[in-house]
Amino acid sequence: MAKFELKLPKMGESVAEATITTWLKEVGETIELDDAVVEIATDKVDSEVPSEVEGVLLEKLFEVDDVVQVGQTIAIIETEGEGGVEEASAGTTIEVEETPKEAVVIETQIAETAEAVTTGGVTDFSESSKFYSPLVKNIAAAEHVSLTELEAIQGTGKDGRVTKNDILQFVEDRKNGKVETQPVKEEVKIAPAVASVKKETPKPSPIVASGEDEIIEMTRMGKLIAHHMVESVQTSAHVQSFIEADVTNIWNWRKKVKDDFMKREGENLTFTPIFMEAVAKAIRDFPMINISVSGDTIIKKKNINLGMAAALADGNLIVPVIKNADQLNLVGMTKAVNDLAGRARNNALKPDDIQGGTYTVTNVGTFGSIMGTPIINQPQVAILALGAIRKVPAVIETPDGDFIGIRYKMFLSHSYDHRVVNGALGGQFVQRVKDYLEAFDVNREF
């Protein structure tokens, strides 16, 4: 009998790890070729890992909720054949008994952690609301990194998650004197003759459910979104600017060309790609809205990748990304919007489809709201909410005087991080979006 190593496959250029959510096969079960063995999750996208061979599941190397790196072996499958080696998908032969490099690193860190325990230098991670992988925790404990220091590290992983490289770089910088060592515990002195008392984070009062109340467990995605929203508010100083735009020209132009657009392109022309086009043009005019913050430095993004918040059937939201949006014409933007929206509704997005966004647009008008105050999608610094288009009476200025007419108008709500985006930039940006929308050419060819 031979043994095959089932590895976590590569799922996109920017995806380095995944979380085990469900084992679909148990040890001893027969596995057919292409059978799904385990479900994994990368932030908001779920997917399955299929088997590349037929055989019997011999061993599961990770438990549910464990974080696995791309390329790591997650299970051993016993197959028909001779020898104790397995044929990897790349065609290389690997000894099953050989300890993977990742395991050596983890074992070393665990050993160092055990040594740290004996010296009383272990960090208590239970007080943190952030997620840290077991390997990051082990390194933090072994290197006597306090919880305060750990939470101050600007992670480069998805949603700011601290990776192994991040904490190793922090440890190196600390040794070189580039960062200051923080105390593990903050203490408040009461009086010289009285022992110090530790500050404790107040815990919320428990909520008691009566016998008639329904207890509903949050979904995994719901928990991720809740954590992401709270973390964003705690990270960024949110402020908003509001402006009203007259989109009558856009309304009339779309009504005139949408049928011909469908016949020629085979795509439904909605307002979203038109708005996205205006946002991308405004970002080119104000590139300092297309940034991220890392500690005391600003990262100015080269590409304009627009996140497009989309509602799912279960009420949750997902944000697929239109890459290099400023390089698309209206036809290309329409195809990208429709493709991502369709695959989002059908739960068919790939992990890379939601990676790399630099600015986000959300359409609160879909639900009838005329405006909103959206929460910034970290690590971005701004987000634009599009309100419902309404038919309203308005003052129209002409060379012959002012008069009252019926116009189509909408509110644009711009939330931005006041740490790095001041009121002038935040207001000028949303004003520029308004200008592009109101200057829309009604004689334009699509």
Side-chain angles (χ1 to χ4, degrees):
M1 305 295 284
K3 296 177 181 178
F4 178 84
E5 291 185 345
L6 181 64
K7 299 180 183 294
L8 182 67
K10 184 174 176 62
M11 295 163 288
E13 293 182 2
S14 55
V15 180
E17 62 185 20
T19 301
I20 302 291
T21 55
T22 307
W23 281 99
L24 304 176
K25 298 290 184 180
E26 295 299 328
V27 173
E29 279 194 58
T30 299
I31 298 174
E32 301 294 334
L33 183 65
D34 290 332
D35 269 1
V37 179
V38 61
E39 287 184 349
I40 58 174
T42 59
D43 191 31
K44 299 174 184 176
V45 176
D46 296 339
S47 53
E48 298 174 342
V49 177
S51 174
E52 303 172 46
V53 296
E54 296 180 354
V56 175
L57 183 58
L58 187 65
E59 185 179 2
K60 298 188 291 186
L61 302 182
F62 292 92
E63 300 295 331
V64 171
D65 292 332
D66 284 350
V67 177
V68 186
Q69 302 297 312
V70 169
Q72 276 191 282
T73 301
I74 56 178
I76 304 295
I77 300 174
E78 190 174 57
T79 63
E80 295 291 338
E82 300 295 332
V85 299
E86 56 98 22
E87 303 239 338
S89 57
T92 57
T93 302
I94 303 174
E95 295 285 348
V96 174
E97 290 76 17
E98 181 182 6
T99 304
K101 292 181 180 179
E102 293 86 348
V104 173
V105 173
I106 293 173
E107 289 173 4
T108 302
Q109 294 299 337
I110 291 175
E112 293 175 349
T113 302
E115 182 180 354
V117 172
T118 63
T119 59
V122 177
T123 303
D124 182 7
F125 299 98
S126 63
E127 297 181 6
S128 177
S129 61
K130 294 185 178 180
F131 173 83
Y132 298 105
S133 69
L135 181 55
V136 168
K137 290 180 181 179
N138 289 336
I139 296 173
E143 297 292 343
H144 305 292
V145 177
S146 71
L147 183 58
T148 303
E149 291 174 317
L150 186 60
E151 292 188 326
I153 297 175
Q154 296 294 321
T156 59
K158 177 62 180 173
D159 292 333
R161 179 183 297 172
V162 176
T163 66
K164 178 185 72 174
N165 291 335
D166 294 330
I167 191 167
L168 290 177
Q169 184 63 54
F170 172 84
V171 171
E172 183 66 21
D173 290 344
R174 190 176 63 177
K175 289 179 179 178
N176 295 332
K178 295 181 180 180
V179 294
E180 295 181 0
T181 303
Q182 299 294 327
V184 176
K185 289 285 184 180
E186 181 183 355
E187 297 187 346
V188 178
K189 302 294 182 182
I190 296 178
V194 182
S196 63
V197 179
K198 295 177 181 177
K199 280 179 62 178
E200 293 186 358
T201 303
K203 296 181 179 179
S205 302
I207 299 176
V208 180
S210 68
E212 298 179 353
D213 295 335
E214 181 183 1
I215 308 299
I216 301 174
E217 177 72 17
M218 291 178 67
T219 64
R220 184 188 61 81
M221 184 184 292
K223 293 176 184 178
L224 286 169
I225 292 174
H227 175 75
H228 191 51
M229 295 297 98
V230 172
E231 186 177 47
S232 179
V233 173
Q234 292 174 342
T235 300
S236 297
H238 283 62
V239 293
Q240 286 83 28
S241 293
F242 305 93
I243 199 166
E244 190 175 29
D246 188 327
V247 293
T248 306
N249 288 344
I250 294 175
W251 180 280
N252 293 335
W253 180 83
R254 175 185 172 273
K255 183 178 180 181
K256 179 179 67 174
V257 306
K258 64 179 182 178
D259 291 339
D260 291 338
F261 192 94
M262 171 63 79
K263 290 178 183 177
R264 196 184 87 175
E265 303 297 337
E267 297 281 350
N268 182 32
L269 177 62
T270 65
F271 290 105
T272 300
I274 301 174
F275 297 151
M276 288 293 197
E277 182 184 57
V279 171
K281 290 168 66 176
I283 291 176
R284 278 193 303 196
D285 296 340
F286 295 95
M288 288 305 292
I289 210 77
N290 199 50
I291 63 173
S292 291
V293 181
S294 178
D296 294 330
T297 62
I298 293 173
I299 302 171
K300 187 177 177 182
K301 300 294 185 178
K302 178 181 179 181
N303 298 326
I304 297 176
N305 299 333
L306 292 184
M308 179 185 71
L312 301 177
D314 61 1
N316 286 312
L317 290 174
I318 196 166
V319 186
V321 177
I322 303 171
K323 307 291 175 60
N324 298 308
D326 59 319
Q327 299 178 21
L328 298 175
N329 60 18
L330 186 58
V331 173
M333 186 75 78
T334 301
K335 290 180 182 294
V337 166
N338 291 348
D339 171 60
L340 291 173
R343 289 195 285 124
R345 286 191 296 267
N346 296 321
N347 196 28
L349 289 172
K350 299 177 182 178
D352 206 47
D353 291 329
I354 61 169
Q355 308 288 331
T358 60
Y359 187 93
T360 297
V361 178
T362 179
N363 189 355
V364 299
T366 302
F367 312 106
S369 298
I370 62 172
M371 66 173 63
T373 54
I375 296 176
I376 297 167
N377 186 15
Q378 299 293 332
Q380 299 166 27
V381 299
I383 181 172
L384 182 68
L386 307 174
I389 299 176
R390 301 165 300 130
K391 189 189 296 186
V392 297
V395 175
I396 301 174
E397 298 179 359
T398 71
D400 299 324
D402 299 342
F403 65 93
I404 301 295
I406 303 299
R407 307 293 289 179
Y408 290 92
K409 291 195 171 187
M410 65 185 295
F411 283 103
L412 308 177
S413 309
H414 191 214
S415 290
Y416 45 95
D417 187 345
H418 211 30
R419 295 179 302 165
V420 289
V421 180
N422 59 33
L425 175 57
Q428 289 170 354
F429 173 79
V430 73
Q431 173 70 49
R432 186 61 54 87
V433 176
K434 165 190 166 78
D435 292 342
Y436 280 129
L437 294 178
E438 293 187 342
F440 190 87
D441 183 6
V442 293
N443 297 314
R444 172 178 178 173
E445 295 290 335
F446 57 83

